């Protein structure tokens, strides 16, 4: 296996002192716009064109059979894919929440309700350590933070990321200080605060929080801080590839035909596509066409609006939806999502808050999975795409549930007791329950 040691970049905004780093097969950072390459370091924007940087790998020494065997013999968490991630070789021995390897649920009851005949699966990420897919991305950022010598972990968050950072920092012995909009769901706030780090509410929406964090990175007050989704974003983002790897492995090393992914910043969707392309390139799955569909809430649907209008640029919106985890009005990866949906023959669609709630109830009633609002968005969009004919019901389809309904209980307020009775049989019969 090719393990490269490269000198890390110095002079990055908000960077700690950066020793030489060894991040396994990660070879460099590469600009998604102009292809300019720089050494691995805590930088996220291209010095040439300000485009976003992403990890470039050297997988040239990998043979498909050996790699597949190695993955299958690995742990039942994301680290089974360590040869495909920007992490040091000994990552599994370090304190980490070890998320991933979540169930791919064959959702036959839901399929019947939606009229999907080609096989419908829910990739249920609600069972991760802090109950969302964000544990995957934070696990990568944590390893990068360690490699670059940061001691404080931070982020701007729509809620789930805050909890994932707080928990990962607690386990790994980092300080954490995270920033969220001040008006998030109680479940998200408690989940983020309970790990003992600092949790700061910002008077504004997520886009205001994110702008503030960018300012803090450039200020001496943010010196030595690793913002998982800002200066560590290239590493963080790679964590979402593990969703693509797991789905294919759980399907028997096969690509799904169609996959429905929620969009906030759009990072997850773009990295699922990257993960699928890597598996094809590495010869781990047969090269067949797949379609990626993006899902948004109507009250924050800048990418869906651009897709439907045929635009290449995404016009920012002011979010107003119960799907707060997806409420990013100015999504950084929006244009890349548009490219991927168009290139693969997918689409980007949105659903109303009422449809989100109906979909949460539908998934719970049919499959016993209680999704947070983001899961209501993907299931609701899947229904809409089947009804409109954009999604082919005769093909294998995977729908992502990226978070746990216990964090967004308000969405299903009014759900509760069927009846209250006295502790005797007459009362039971009177209530019409016999
Ligand atoms: C539960 C959940 N699903 C999906 C997303 C979308 O993530 P991304 O910003 O990568 O599009 C988020 C983002 O916060 C989230 O919390
Ligand atoms: Zn560039």
């Amino acid at each position: 296996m090719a393990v490269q040691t490269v000198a890390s970049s110095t002079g990055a905004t908000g960077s700690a002192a950066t020793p030489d780093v060894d991040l396994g097969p990660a070879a460099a950072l590469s600009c998604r716009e102009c292809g300019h390459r720089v050494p691995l370091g805590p930088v996220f924007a291209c010095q040439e064109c300000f485009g976003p940087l992403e990890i470039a790998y050297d997988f040239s020494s990998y043979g498909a059979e050996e790699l597949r065997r190695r993955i299958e013999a690995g742990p039942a968490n994301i680290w089974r894919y360590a040869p495909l991630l920007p992490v040091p070789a000994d990552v599994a021995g370090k304190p980490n929440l070890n998320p991933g390897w979540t169930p791919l649920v064959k959702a036959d009851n839901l399929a019947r309700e939606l009229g999907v005949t080609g096989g419908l699966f829910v990739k249920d990420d609600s069972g991760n350590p802090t109950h969302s897919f964000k544990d995957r991305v934070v696990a990568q950022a944590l390893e990068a933070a360690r490699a670059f010598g940061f001691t404080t972990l931070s982020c701007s968050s729509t809620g789930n990321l805050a909890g994932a950072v707080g928990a990962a920092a607690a386990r790994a012995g980092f300080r954490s200080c995270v920033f969220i909009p001040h008006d998030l769901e109680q479940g998200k706030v408690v989940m983020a605060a309970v790990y003992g780090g600092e949790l700061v509410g910002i008077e504004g929406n997520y886009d205001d929080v994110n702008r503030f964090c960018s300012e803090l990175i450039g200020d001496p007050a943010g010196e030595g801080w690793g913002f998982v989704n800002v200066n560590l974003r290239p590493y963080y983002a790679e964590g979402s590839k593990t969703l693509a790897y797991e789905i294919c492995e759980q399907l028997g090393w096969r690509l799904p035909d169609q996959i429905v992914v929620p969009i906030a910043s759009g990072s997850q969707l773009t990295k699922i596509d990257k993960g699928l392309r890597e598996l094809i390139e590495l010869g781990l799955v047969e090269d067949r066409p797949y379609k990626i569909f993006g899902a948004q809430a109507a009250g924050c649907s800048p990418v869906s609006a651009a897709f439907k209008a045929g635009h290449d640029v995404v016009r920012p919106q002011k979010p107003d939806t119960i799907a707060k985890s997806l409420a990013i009005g100015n999504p950084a990866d929006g244009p890349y999502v548009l490219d991927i949906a168009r290139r693969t023959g997918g689409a980007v669609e949105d659903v109303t808050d009422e449809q989100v709630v109906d979909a949460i109830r539908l998934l719970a009633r049919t499959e016993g999975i209680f999704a947070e609002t983001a899961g209501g968005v993907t299931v609701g969009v899947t229904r809409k795409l089947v009804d409109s004919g954009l999604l082919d019901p005769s093909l294998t389809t995977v729908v992502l549930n990226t978070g746990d309904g216990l964090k967004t209980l308000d969405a299903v307020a009014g759900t509760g007791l069927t009846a209250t009775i006295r502790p005797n049989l007459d009362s039971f019969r009177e209530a019409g329950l016999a």
Side-chain angles (χ1 to χ4, degrees), residues 131-134 137 157-161 188 206 233 236 240 261-270 324-328 331 333 337 372-375 378 400-404 407:
H131 301 274
S132 88
F133 92 100
K134 292 289 185 182
V137 283
S157 171
T158 57
N160 283 309
L161 183 57
K188 300 264 172 66
Y206 173 82
R233 191 173 181 82
Y236 156 98
S240 289
V261 184
I263 301 168
S265 72
S267 171
Q268 183 189 30
L269 188 147
T270 65
K324 294 186 183 202
S325 57
L326 304 182
I328 297 185
D333 286 295
V337 169
E372 78 137 87
T373 45
T378 50
L400 261 57
N401 172 40
T402 49
D404 191 326
K407 290 202 224 179

mmCIF file of all heavy atoms in Angstrom, residues 131-134 137 157-161 188 206 233 236 240 261-270 324-328 331 333 337 372-375 378 400-404 407, ligand 1:
data_model
loop_
_atom_site.group_PDB
_atom_site.id
_atom_site.type_symbol
_atom_site.label_atom_id
_atom_site.label_comp_id
_atom_site.label_asym_id
_atom_site.label_seq_id
_atom_site.Cartn_x
_atom_site.Cartn_y
_atom_site.Cartn_z
ATOM 1 N N HIS A 131 -26.284 9.928 16.976
ATOM 2 C CA HIS A 131 -27.582 9.808 16.289
ATOM 3 C C HIS A 131 -27.732 10.663 15.037
ATOM 4 O O HIS A 131 -28.832 11.158 14.763
ATOM 5 C CB HIS A 131 -28.731 10.049 17.289
ATOM 6 C CG HIS A 131 -28.690 9.067 18.416
ATOM 7 N ND1 HIS A 131 -29.280 7.832 18.345
ATOM 8 C CD2 HIS A 131 -28.037 9.109 19.603
ATOM 9 C CE1 HIS A 131 -29.014 7.169 19.447
ATOM 10 N NE2 HIS A 131 -28.258 7.912 20.225
ATOM 11 N N SER A 132 -26.654 10.820 14.308
ATOM 12 C CA SER A 132 -26.765 11.368 12.957
ATOM 13 C C SER A 132 -25.521 10.962 12.172
ATOM 14 O O SER A 132 -24.528 10.501 12.746
ATOM 15 C CB SER A 132 -26.918 12.890 12.954
ATOM 16 O OG SER A 132 -25.644 13.521 12.938
ATOM 17 N N PHE A 133 -25.580 11.178 10.865
ATOM 18 C CA PHE A 133 -24.435 10.824 10.012
ATOM 19 C C PHE A 133 -23.225 11.705 10.299
ATOM 20 O O PHE A 133 -22.108 11.412 9.862
ATOM 21 C CB PHE A 133 -24.817 10.919 8.526
ATOM 22 C CG PHE A 133 -24.534 12.256 7.895
ATOM 23 C CD1 PHE A 133 -23.404 12.442 7.118
ATOM 24 C CD2 PHE A 133 -25.367 13.332 8.097
ATOM 25 C CE1 PHE A 133 -23.112 13.670 6.539
ATOM 26 C CE2 PHE A 133 -25.088 14.569 7.529
ATOM 27 C CZ PHE A 133 -23.959 14.744 6.750
ATOM 28 N N LYS A 134 -23.405 12.779 11.050
ATOM 29 C CA LYS A 134 -22.308 13.723 11.286
ATOM 30 C C LYS A 134 -21.133 13.085 12.036
ATOM 31 O O LYS A 134 -20.009 13.576 11.962
ATOM 32 C CB LYS A 134 -22.809 14.945 12.052
ATOM 33 C CG LYS A 134 -23.763 15.820 11.252
ATOM 34 C CD LYS A 134 -23.059 16.571 10.134
ATOM 35 C CE LYS A 134 -24.008 17.518 9.426
ATOM 36 N NZ LYS A 134 -23.387 18.224 8.302
ATOM 37 N N VAL A 137 -18.298 12.336 9.530
ATOM 38 C CA VAL A 137 -17.444 13.423 9.048
ATOM 39 C C VAL A 137 -16.559 13.968 10.171
ATOM 40 O O VAL A 137 -15.384 14.301 9.947
ATOM 41 C CB VAL A 137 -18.298 14.552 8.390
ATOM 42 C CG1 VAL A 137 -18.732 14.132 7.008
ATOM 43 C CG2 VAL A 137 -19.504 14.945 9.233
ATOM 44 N N SER A 157 -22.895 24.966 13.066
ATOM 45 C CA SER A 157 -23.732 23.776 12.959
ATOM 46 C C SER A 157 -25.206 24.131 12.857
ATOM 47 O O SER A 157 -25.659 25.109 13.448
ATOM 48 C CB SER A 157 -23.503 22.897 14.196
ATOM 49 O OG SER A 157 -24.436 21.844 14.234
ATOM 50 N N THR A 158 -25.956 23.275 12.144
ATOM 51 C CA THR A 158 -27.418 23.366 12.187
ATOM 52 C C THR A 158 -27.964 22.450 13.288
ATOM 53 O O THR A 158 -29.159 22.246 13.374
ATOM 54 C CB THR A 158 -28.045 22.978 10.831
ATOM 55 O OG1 THR A 158 -27.606 21.653 10.478
ATOM 56 C CG2 THR A 158 -27.664 23.953 9.733
ATOM 57 N N GLY A 159 -27.098 21.878 14.105
ATOM 58 C CA GLY A 159 -27.554 21.120 15.274
ATOM 59 C C GLY A 159 -26.849 19.789 15.440
ATOM 60 O O GLY A 159 -26.204 19.529 16.451
ATOM 61 N N ASN A 160 -26.960 18.925 14.438
ATOM 62 C CA ASN A 160 -26.366 17.596 14.579
ATOM 63 C C ASN A 160 -24.853 17.629 14.665
ATOM 64 O O ASN A 160 -24.245 16.878 15.431
ATOM 65 C CB ASN A 160 -26.784 16.712 13.402
ATOM 66 C CG ASN A 160 -28.203 16.220 13.554
ATOM 67 O OD1 ASN A 160 -28.578 15.686 14.595
ATOM 68 N ND2 ASN A 160 -29.011 16.425 12.524
ATOM 69 N N LEU A 161 -24.252 18.495 13.893
ATOM 70 C CA LEU A 161 -22.790 18.565 13.891
ATOM 71 C C LEU A 161 -22.264 19.016 15.251
ATOM 72 O O LEU A 161 -21.220 18.544 15.720
ATOM 73 C CB LEU A 161 -22.319 19.521 12.786
ATOM 74 C CG LEU A 161 -20.809 19.643 12.607
ATOM 75 C CD1 LEU A 161 -20.170 18.294 12.330
ATOM 76 C CD2 LEU A 161 -20.488 20.624 11.477
ATOM 77 N N LYS A 188 -31.612 18.924 20.001
ATOM 78 C CA LYS A 188 -30.291 19.192 19.420
ATOM 79 C C LYS A 188 -29.415 19.958 20.416
ATOM 80 O O LYS A 188 -28.212 19.700 20.542
ATOM 81 C CB LYS A 188 -30.435 20.027 18.138
ATOM 82 C CG LYS A 188 -31.262 19.376 17.041
ATOM 83 C CD LYS A 188 -30.407 18.651 16.029
ATOM 84 C CE LYS A 188 -31.238 17.839 15.054
ATOM 85 N NZ LYS A 188 -32.085 18.615 14.161
ATOM 86 N N TYR A 206 -28.272 29.864 10.277
ATOM 87 C CA TYR A 206 -27.013 29.151 10.081
ATOM 88 C C TYR A 206 -26.026 29.955 9.238
ATOM 89 O O TYR A 206 -24.818 29.948 9.500
ATOM 90 C CB TYR A 206 -27.254 27.784 9.415
ATOM 91 C CG TYR A 206 -25.946 27.126 9.070
ATOM 92 C CD1 TYR A 206 -25.217 26.420 10.027
ATOM 93 C CD2 TYR A 206 -25.378 27.273 7.793
ATOM 94 C CE1 TYR A 206 -23.984 25.870 9.732
ATOM 95 C CE2 TYR A 206 -24.139 26.723 7.491
ATOM 96 C CZ TYR A 206 -23.452 26.029 8.458
ATOM 97 O OH TYR A 206 -22.226 25.492 8.176
ATOM 98 N N ARG A 233 -12.397 21.314 6.477
ATOM 99 C CA ARG A 233 -13.488 20.815 5.616
ATOM 100 C C ARG A 233 -13.055 19.748 4.598
ATOM 101 O O ARG A 233 -13.786 18.772 4.385
ATOM 102 C CB ARG A 233 -14.160 21.992 4.897
ATOM 103 C CG ARG A 233 -15.463 21.607 4.193
ATOM 104 C CD ARG A 233 -16.167 22.846 3.639
ATOM 105 N NE ARG A 233 -17.425 22.537 2.990
ATOM 106 C CZ ARG A 233 -18.582 22.356 3.609
ATOM 107 N NH1 ARG A 233 -18.638 22.442 4.932
ATOM 108 N NH2 ARG A 233 -19.688 22.091 2.954
ATOM 109 N N TYR A 236 -12.962 16.521 6.754
ATOM 110 C CA TYR A 236 -14.323 16.305 7.246
ATOM 111 C C TYR A 236 -15.199 15.720 6.144
ATOM 112 O O TYR A 236 -15.870 14.697 6.317
ATOM 113 C CB TYR A 236 -14.821 17.675 7.727
ATOM 114 C CG TYR A 236 -16.289 17.951 7.775
ATOM 115 C CD1 TYR A 236 -16.996 17.834 8.976
ATOM 116 C CD2 TYR A 236 -16.991 18.407 6.649
ATOM 117 C CE1 TYR A 236 -18.344 18.137 9.032
ATOM 118 C CE2 TYR A 236 -18.323 18.711 6.702
ATOM 119 C CZ TYR A 236 -18.995 18.570 7.899
ATOM 120 O OH TYR A 236 -20.331 18.871 7.952
ATOM 121 N N SER A 240 -18.217 11.445 4.479
ATOM 122 C CA SER A 240 -19.487 11.064 3.828
ATOM 123 C C SER A 240 -19.298 9.993 2.768
ATOM 124 O O SER A 240 -20.252 9.325 2.386
ATOM 125 C CB SER A 240 -20.154 12.304 3.209
ATOM 126 O OG SER A 240 -20.663 13.146 4.220
ATOM 127 N N VAL A 261 -30.631 11.642 -1.392
ATOM 128 C CA VAL A 261 -29.725 12.200 -0.368
ATOM 129 C C VAL A 261 -30.231 13.583 0.067
ATOM 130 O O VAL A 261 -30.582 14.403 -0.800
ATOM 131 C CB VAL A 261 -28.302 12.354 -0.972
ATOM 132 C CG1 VAL A 261 -27.314 12.843 0.068
ATOM 133 C CG2 VAL A 261 -27.827 11.054 -1.595
ATOM 134 N N PRO A 262 -30.245 13.863 1.378
ATOM 135 C CA PRO A 262 -30.653 15.209 1.810
ATOM 136 C C PRO A 262 -29.552 16.234 1.520
ATOM 137 O O PRO A 262 -28.373 15.889 1.493
ATOM 138 C CB PRO A 262 -30.864 15.047 3.317
ATOM 139 C CG PRO A 262 -29.922 13.949 3.700
ATOM 140 C CD PRO A 262 -29.853 13.017 2.512
ATOM 141 N N ILE A 263 -29.965 17.473 1.341
ATOM 142 C CA ILE A 263 -28.992 18.545 1.059
ATOM 143 C C ILE A 263 -29.135 19.656 2.084
ATOM 144 O O ILE A 263 -30.213 20.227 2.251
ATOM 145 C CB ILE A 263 -29.249 19.181 -0.330
ATOM 146 C CG1 ILE A 263 -29.159 18.139 -1.438
ATOM 147 C CG2 ILE A 263 -28.273 20.328 -0.579
ATOM 148 C CD1 ILE A 263 -29.701 18.668 -2.769
ATOM 149 N N ALA A 264 -28.033 19.976 2.758
ATOM 150 C CA ALA A 264 -27.945 21.223 3.528
ATOM 151 C C ALA A 264 -26.892 22.078 2.822
ATOM 152 O O ALA A 264 -27.199 22.891 1.960
ATOM 153 C CB ALA A 264 -27.598 20.955 4.983
ATOM 154 N N SER A 265 -25.585 21.819 3.126
ATOM 155 C CA SER A 265 -24.527 22.488 2.358
ATOM 156 C C SER A 265 -24.297 21.793 1.017
ATOM 157 O O SER A 265 -23.688 22.347 0.116
ATOM 158 C CB SER A 265 -23.216 22.486 3.153
ATOM 159 O OG SER A 265 -22.670 21.177 3.176
ATOM 160 N N GLY A 266 -24.738 20.527 0.930
ATOM 161 C CA GLY A 266 -24.518 19.726 -0.279
ATOM 162 C C GLY A 266 -23.264 18.877 -0.216
ATOM 163 O O GLY A 266 -22.998 18.083 -1.124
ATOM 164 N N SER A 267 -22.495 19.004 0.861
ATOM 165 C CA SER A 267 -21.235 18.271 0.967
ATOM 166 C C SER A 267 -21.456 16.763 0.914
ATOM 167 O O SER A 267 -20.780 16.041 0.173
ATOM 168 C CB SER A 267 -20.537 18.662 2.281
ATOM 169 O OG SER A 267 -19.431 17.835 2.509
ATOM 170 N N GLN A 268 -22.412 16.289 1.698
ATOM 171 C CA GLN A 268 -22.662 14.849 1.774
ATOM 172 C C GLN A 268 -22.967 14.267 0.389
ATOM 173 O O GLN A 268 -22.417 13.229 0.008
ATOM 174 C CB GLN A 268 -23.843 14.603 2.723
ATOM 175 C CG GLN A 268 -24.142 13.144 2.935
ATOM 176 C CD GLN A 268 -25.444 12.953 3.699
ATOM 177 O OE1 GLN A 268 -26.365 13.759 3.605
ATOM 178 N NE2 GLN A 268 -25.504 11.902 4.464
ATOM 179 N N LEU A 269 -23.813 14.935 -0.341
ATOM 180 C CA LEU A 269 -24.201 14.420 -1.667
ATOM 181 C C LEU A 269 -22.992 14.353 -2.602
ATOM 182 O O LEU A 269 -22.785 13.352 -3.295
ATOM 183 C CB LEU A 269 -25.317 15.286 -2.256
ATOM 184 C CG LEU A 269 -25.939 14.757 -3.548
ATOM 185 C CD1 LEU A 269 -27.426 15.111 -3.632
ATOM 186 C CD2 LEU A 269 -25.210 15.248 -4.792
ATOM 187 N N THR A 270 -22.170 15.387 -2.575
ATOM 188 C CA THR A 270 -21.027 15.388 -3.505
ATOM 189 C C THR A 270 -20.029 14.285 -3.142
ATOM 190 O O THR A 270 -19.398 13.697 -4.015
ATOM 191 C CB THR A 270 -20.291 16.746 -3.524
ATOM 192 O OG1 THR A 270 -19.707 16.990 -2.249
ATOM 193 C CG2 THR A 270 -21.215 17.894 -3.880
ATOM 194 N N LYS A 324 -34.760 21.916 10.326
ATOM 195 C CA LYS A 324 -33.700 22.875 10.676
ATOM 196 C C LYS A 324 -32.309 22.335 10.378
ATOM 197 O O LYS A 324 -31.385 23.108 10.123
ATOM 198 C CB LYS A 324 -33.819 23.262 12.149
ATOM 199 C CG LYS A 324 -35.099 24.031 12.429
ATOM 200 C CD LYS A 324 -35.163 24.550 13.849
ATOM 201 C CE LYS A 324 -36.516 25.245 14.034
ATOM 202 N NZ LYS A 324 -36.521 26.196 15.113
ATOM 203 N N SER A 325 -32.142 21.022 10.436
ATOM 204 C CA SER A 325 -30.810 20.469 10.160
ATOM 205 C C SER A 325 -30.401 20.723 8.711
ATOM 206 O O SER A 325 -29.216 20.690 8.389
ATOM 207 C CB SER A 325 -30.758 18.978 10.483
ATOM 208 O OG SER A 325 -31.748 18.284 9.765
ATOM 209 N N LEU A 326 -31.382 20.954 7.840
ATOM 210 C CA LEU A 326 -31.070 21.195 6.420
ATOM 211 C C LEU A 326 -31.205 22.673 6.051
ATOM 212 O O LEU A 326 -31.150 23.023 4.865
ATOM 213 C CB LEU A 326 -32.000 20.357 5.531
ATOM 214 C CG LEU A 326 -32.002 18.846 5.769
ATOM 215 C CD1 LEU A 326 -32.932 18.155 4.778
ATOM 216 C CD2 LEU A 326 -30.595 18.271 5.658
ATOM 217 N N ALA A 327 -31.373 23.528 7.060
ATOM 218 C CA ALA A 327 -31.691 24.938 6.782
ATOM 219 C C ALA A 327 -30.434 25.770 6.520
ATOM 220 O O ALA A 327 -30.034 26.615 7.321
ATOM 221 C CB ALA A 327 -32.496 25.517 7.943
ATOM 222 N N ILE A 328 -29.812 25.513 5.386
ATOM 223 C CA ILE A 328 -28.686 26.339 4.932
ATOM 224 C C ILE A 328 -29.147 27.051 3.662
ATOM 225 O O ILE A 328 -29.415 26.417 2.638
ATOM 226 C CB ILE A 328 -27.420 25.488 4.679
ATOM 227 C CG1 ILE A 328 -26.965 24.846 5.998
ATOM 228 C CG2 ILE A 328 -26.310 26.338 4.074
ATOM 229 C CD1 ILE A 328 -25.658 24.062 5.911
ATOM 230 N N PRO A 331 -25.866 27.317 0.296
ATOM 231 C CA PRO A 331 -25.093 26.065 0.404
ATOM 232 C C PRO A 331 -23.796 26.090 -0.400
ATOM 233 O O PRO A 331 -23.805 26.274 -1.614
ATOM 234 C CB PRO A 331 -26.054 25.009 -0.154
ATOM 235 C CG PRO A 331 -27.018 25.754 -1.007
ATOM 236 C CD PRO A 331 -27.086 27.162 -0.506
ATOM 237 N N ASP A 333 -21.771 23.821 -1.395
ATOM 238 C CA ASP A 333 -21.573 22.838 -2.466
ATOM 239 C C ASP A 333 -22.744 22.787 -3.441
ATOM 240 O O ASP A 333 -22.820 21.849 -4.255
ATOM 241 C CB ASP A 333 -21.321 21.448 -1.856
ATOM 242 C CG ASP A 333 -19.922 21.355 -1.263
ATOM 243 O OD1 ASP A 333 -18.956 21.440 -2.029
ATOM 244 O OD2 ASP A 333 -19.801 21.228 -0.031
ATOM 245 N N VAL A 337 -23.611 20.029 -6.492
ATOM 246 C CA VAL A 337 -24.787 19.156 -6.428
ATOM 247 C C VAL A 337 -25.557 19.218 -7.749
ATOM 248 O O VAL A 337 -25.984 18.191 -8.288
ATOM 249 C CB VAL A 337 -25.701 19.570 -5.251
ATOM 250 C CG1 VAL A 337 -27.050 18.848 -5.336
ATOM 251 C CG2 VAL A 337 -25.034 19.276 -3.914
ATOM 252 N N GLU A 372 -35.516 11.845 11.979
ATOM 253 C CA GLU A 372 -35.629 13.288 12.218
ATOM 254 C C GLU A 372 -36.161 13.948 10.931
ATOM 255 O O GLU A 372 -36.373 13.282 9.904
ATOM 256 C CB GLU A 372 -34.287 13.878 12.650
ATOM 257 C CG GLU A 372 -33.298 14.117 11.544
ATOM 258 C CD GLU A 372 -32.588 15.479 11.680
ATOM 259 O OE1 GLU A 372 -31.558 15.546 12.384
ATOM 260 O OE2 GLU A 372 -33.063 16.459 11.085
ATOM 261 N N THR A 373 -36.347 15.235 10.986
ATOM 262 C CA THR A 373 -36.969 15.929 9.856
ATOM 263 C C THR A 373 -36.191 15.714 8.547
ATOM 264 O O THR A 373 -36.801 15.650 7.477
ATOM 265 C CB THR A 373 -37.087 17.427 10.161
ATOM 266 O OG1 THR A 373 -35.858 17.887 10.735
ATOM 267 C CG2 THR A 373 -38.225 17.699 11.127
ATOM 268 N N ALA A 374 -34.870 15.579 8.613
ATOM 269 C CA ALA A 374 -34.089 15.355 7.387
ATOM 270 C C ALA A 374 -34.505 14.039 6.720
ATOM 271 O O ALA A 374 -34.555 13.948 5.485
ATOM 272 C CB ALA A 374 -32.592 15.343 7.702
ATOM 273 N N GLY A 375 -34.822 13.029 7.528
ATOM 274 C CA GLY A 375 -35.310 11.754 6.989
ATOM 275 C C GLY A 375 -36.709 11.911 6.407
ATOM 276 O O GLY A 375 -37.058 11.257 5.410
ATOM 277 N N THR A 378 -36.157 13.248 2.888
ATOM 278 C CA THR A 378 -35.755 12.289 1.839
ATOM 279 C C THR A 378 -36.891 11.325 1.487
ATOM 280 O O THR A 378 -37.108 11.027 0.309
ATOM 281 C CB THR A 378 -34.500 11.477 2.250
ATOM 282 O OG1 THR A 378 -34.703 10.934 3.546
ATOM 283 C CG2 THR A 378 -33.260 12.322 2.222
ATOM 284 N N LEU A 400 -31.697 7.792 2.110
ATOM 285 C CA LEU A 400 -30.926 8.024 3.327
ATOM 286 C C LEU A 400 -31.794 8.562 4.452
ATOM 287 O O LEU A 400 -32.572 9.511 4.249
ATOM 288 C CB LEU A 400 -29.819 9.061 3.046
ATOM 289 C CG LEU A 400 -28.430 8.495 2.772
ATOM 290 C CD1 LEU A 400 -28.460 7.531 1.605
ATOM 291 C CD2 LEU A 400 -27.439 9.607 2.523
ATOM 292 N N ASN A 401 -31.677 7.944 5.646
ATOM 293 C CA ASN A 401 -32.169 8.597 6.858
ATOM 294 C C ASN A 401 -30.943 8.972 7.674
ATOM 295 O O ASN A 401 -30.260 8.107 8.221
ATOM 296 C CB ASN A 401 -33.076 7.691 7.687
ATOM 297 C CG ASN A 401 -33.378 8.373 9.010
ATOM 298 O OD1 ASN A 401 -33.585 9.584 9.043
ATOM 299 N ND2 ASN A 401 -33.361 7.622 10.098
ATOM 300 N N THR A 402 -30.680 10.261 7.775
ATOM 301 C CA THR A 402 -29.405 10.704 8.344
ATOM 302 C C THR A 402 -29.478 11.117 9.810
ATOM 303 O O THR A 402 -28.453 11.499 10.377
ATOM 304 C CB THR A 402 -28.850 11.879 7.520
ATOM 305 O OG1 THR A 402 -29.896 12.837 7.342
ATOM 306 C CG2 THR A 402 -28.362 11.415 6.166
ATOM 307 N N GLY A 403 -30.673 11.061 10.423
ATOM 308 C CA GLY A 403 -30.751 11.479 11.825
ATOM 309 C C GLY A 403 -31.944 10.884 12.550
ATOM 310 O O GLY A 403 -32.852 10.311 11.947
ATOM 311 N N ASP A 404 -31.939 11.050 13.857
ATOM 312 C CA ASP A 404 -32.865 10.374 14.764
ATOM 313 C C ASP A 404 -34.040 11.281 15.149
ATOM 314 O O ASP A 404 -33.842 12.430 15.551
ATOM 315 C CB ASP A 404 -32.067 10.002 16.027
ATOM 316 C CG ASP A 404 -32.810 9.072 16.952
ATOM 317 O OD1 ASP A 404 -34.048 9.176 17.056
ATOM 318 O OD2 ASP A 404 -32.152 8.241 17.594
ATOM 319 N N LYS A 407 -34.545 13.688 18.285
ATOM 320 C CA LYS A 407 -33.980 15.043 18.372
ATOM 321 C C LYS A 407 -34.928 16.105 17.825
ATOM 322 O O LYS A 407 -34.685 17.296 17.998
ATOM 323 C CB LYS A 407 -32.669 15.114 17.587
ATOM 324 C CG LYS A 407 -31.530 14.340 18.224
ATOM 325 C CD LYS A 407 -30.200 14.882 17.715
ATOM 326 C CE LYS A 407 -29.231 13.796 17.357
ATOM 327 N NZ LYS A 407 -27.965 14.330 16.849
HETATM 328 C C1 LIG B 1 -29.399 15.008 9.702
HETATM 329 C C2 LIG B 1 -28.692 15.701 8.591
HETATM 330 N N1 LIG B 1 -28.778 15.204 7.357
HETATM 331 C C3 LIG B 1 -28.171 15.790 6.309
HETATM 332 C C4 LIG B 1 -27.431 16.943 6.446
HETATM 333 C C5 LIG B 1 -26.814 17.542 5.204
HETATM 334 O O1 LIG B 1 -25.475 17.710 5.251
HETATM 335 P P1 LIG B 1 -24.623 18.508 4.147
HETATM 336 O O2 LIG B 1 -24.339 19.838 4.754
HETATM 337 O O3 LIG B 1 -23.428 17.674 3.978
HETATM 338 O O4 LIG B 1 -25.465 18.631 2.902
HETATM 339 C C6 LIG B 1 -27.293 17.507 7.708
HETATM 340 C C7 LIG B 1 -26.504 18.727 7.914
HETATM 341 O O5 LIG B 1 -26.427 19.301 8.940
HETATM 342 C C8 LIG B 1 -27.941 16.874 8.815
HETATM 343 O O6 LIG B 1 -27.850 17.359 10.064
#
